[in-house]
Amino acid sequence: MNSKISQIEHDGSVFLLTADVPESKGNAATIFVHGGPGGDSRGPDDLLLDLSTELGRQGRAGFRLDMSGSAKIGGDFSDMSVRRQVGELAAAASYVRSLGYSSISLVGESLGGTVVLAAELPDIAAVVLFFPALILGETSFREVLSPEKAGERAESGGVSLGSYRLTEPFLAEVETLDVSSALQSLVCPVLIVHGDADNDVPVSQSLEAFKEMTAETRVLDVVGGGGHGLRTLDHHAHAVSVAAHWILQFG
């Protein structure tokens, strides 16, 4: 399988798209969207890379996004917002379709799952969501809304989260963005994989949203003992296996 990195300009910024293309190219492709801040196209412990590699072994092309604020590009996440990432995903999908891929599936992890749902792209064959952040204010991002951060936000227009700087409009999105309804309105086959020991994005978000989903083909795979990122070897292997099977079956 050959990998090629393309730079794509969108709305005054540049993001990367790594194409993992098998020698035998078909008409189906998968686009992978990483989480953040600090994420990149490989995913946590290479989750997205390993899934793309497995799909490539089965003849399926993969395109892994590095958003303009990602660690791989060396971008400043303080300029990033879900809205901007949605635009970059839409631009990536248009680019992939221009290459002749008529069947496109989407995979998003954590905040990347938020982006996949918020984008509401048409004509998607299948969706896989790893531990998706459906309600940002009820994830580990809630720290930026604490009273202790209010003064910093009022004074400087942003707050610190670990080594990252978060500013408006992302902070406003943390306060208000809820993509549960977008998940509930999806009609293509949807697989959600979420650990029940996730301390960053509680599995309750996926459990509650799943009850209201209308997609005829849908599965919520709750991984016992799985934390955010599904980083143990067993959890990682399970996530790659079930996601690959899903995309190959429905994508």
Side-chain angles (χ1 to χ4, degrees), residues 21-95:
V21 180
E23 293 183 6
S24 177
K25 173 186 170 182
N27 70 339
T30 304
I31 299 175
F32 300 85
V33 188
H34 64 77
D40 63 36
S41 61
R42 301 174 71 96
D45 289 348
D46 291 348
L47 178 62
L48 301 184
L49 173 61
D50 289 348
L51 176 54
S52 184
T53 300
E54 178 58 31
L55 290 171
R57 293 191 186 103
Q58 306 296 327
R60 181 67 57 95
F63 293 83
R64 294 179 287 113
L65 271 164
D66 277 292
M67 299 293 192
S68 56
S70 77
K72 188 172 181 179
I73 297 178
D76 185 353
F77 196 86
S78 65
D79 295 330
M80 187 51 64
S81 66
V82 172
R83 181 178 180 181
R84 173 174 284 191
Q85 291 185 335
V86 162
E88 293 180 358
L89 172 56
S94 295
Y95 174 77

Side-chain angles (χ1 to χ4, degrees), residues 135-158:
I135 307 172
L136 292 184
E138 297 178 8
T139 69
S140 56
F141 283 121
R142 62 186 173 273
E143 179 184 337
V144 304
L145 304 179
S146 67
E148 293 77 15
K149 296 287 187 180
E152 180 185 357
R153 182 179 180 182
E155 182 176 339
S156 66

Side-chain angles (χ1 to χ4, degrees), residues 4 6 8 15 17 19 63 90-101:
K4 178 183 177 181
S6 299
I8 300 177
F15 65 91
L17 195 62
F63 293 83
S94 295
Y95 174 77
V96 171
R97 289 194 189 278
S98 76
L99 298 178
Y101 295 99

Side-chain angles (χ1 to χ4, degrees), residues 58-212:
Q58 306 296 327
R60 181 67 57 95
F63 293 83
R64 294 179 287 113
L65 271 164
D66 277 292
M67 299 293 192
S68 56
S70 77
K72 188 172 181 179
I73 297 178
D76 185 353
F77 196 86
S78 65
D79 295 330
M80 187 51 64
S81 66
V82 172
R83 181 178 180 181
R84 173 174 284 191
Q85 291 185 335
V86 162
E88 293 180 358
L89 172 56
S94 295
Y95 174 77
V96 171
R97 289 194 189 278
S98 76
L99 298 178
Y101 295 99
S102 57
S103 178
I104 293 180
S105 298
L106 300 176
V107 176
E109 59 95 0
S110 195
L111 186 61
T114 315
V115 173
V116 165
L117 293 170
E120 297 186 280
L121 297 182
D123 302 322
I124 297 302
V127 167
V128 174
L129 301 170
F130 293 123
F131 33 91
L134 303 178
I135 307 172
L136 292 184
E138 297 178 8
T139 69
S140 56
F141 283 121
R142 62 186 173 273
E143 179 184 337
V144 304
L145 304 179
S146 67
E148 293 77 15
K149 296 287 187 180
E152 180 185 357
R153 182 179 180 182
E155 182 176 339
S156 66
V159 301
S160 299
L161 183 66
S163 60
Y164 298 97
R165 180 77 175 164
L166 307 180
T167 62
E168 308 290 352
F170 183 74
L171 293 175
E173 291 173 336
V174 173
E175 288 180 312
T176 62
L177 187 59
D178 180 349
V179 294
S180 300
S181 59
L183 173 61
Q184 293 160 10
S185 65
L186 279 177
V187 296
C188 69
V190 181
L191 169 67
I192 305 171
V193 185
H194 207 142
D196 65 4
D198 192 329
N199 292 322
D200 290 324
V201 180
V203 71
S204 59
Q205 291 196 13
S206 290
L207 289 168
E208 290 302 314
F210 186 78
K211 294 177 184 177
E212 306 299 326

